[in-house]
């Protein structure tokens, strides 16, 4: 079973536009989006189709927003169950 990141799109210059992490063949982990310069602008921790935590960055890589989309107990259960970091 595959574990690692799958690149779904690239910018015209070849840099990664977005990628999704898989663990043991399942969509578990981080979804990341990058600007054309390769700077991370969005990162979301997911379990399947459920988003657990979201980070947004400006084009210079500065954190501009962060939130959890689920309660703390569920978040802890999922991150421990699936060994997410």
């Amino acid at each position: 079973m595959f574990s690692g990141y799958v690149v779904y799109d690239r910018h015209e210059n070849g840099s990664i536009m977005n990628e999704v992490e898989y663990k043991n063949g399942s969509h578990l982990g981080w979804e990341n989006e990058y600007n054309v310069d390769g700077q991370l602008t969005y990162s979301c921790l997911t379990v399947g189709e459920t988003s657990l935590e979201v980070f947004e960055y400006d084009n210079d890589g500065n954190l501009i927003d962060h939130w959890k989309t689920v309660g703390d107990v569920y978040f802890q259960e999922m991150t421990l169950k699936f060994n997410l970091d």
Side-chain angles (χ1 to χ4, degrees), residues 44-85:
C44 179
L45 183 62
T46 61
V47 172
E49 296 301 317
T50 303
S51 299
L52 302 179
E53 185 172 30
V54 177
F55 296 85
E56 289 185 348
Y57 303 90
D58 66 18
N59 282 326
D60 295 319
N62 300 304
L63 182 66
I64 56 175
D65 206 354
H66 166 255
W67 65 93
K68 289 182 181 170
T69 62
V70 296
D72 286 334
V73 172
Y74 184 76
F75 179 85
Q76 292 299 324
E77 288 174 356
M78 291 298 101
T79 55
L80 289 173
K81 179 178 181 178
F82 295 107
N83 194 28
L84 301 173
D85 47 21

Side-chain angles (χ1 to χ4, degrees), residues 6-21:
V6 173
V7 175
Y8 280 98
D9 288 307
R10 292 188 177 271
H11 293 283
E12 287 186 20
N13 68 1
S15 66
I16 296 172
M17 183 184 294
N18 61 33
E19 63 183 0
V20 175
E21 184 178 18

Side-chain angles (χ1 to χ4, degrees), residues 26-39:
S26 296
H27 180 194
L28 299 169
W30 295 98
E31 294 181 15
N32 299 315
E33 295 179 9
Y34 302 88
N35 66 19
V36 70
D37 297 321
Q39 183 65 53

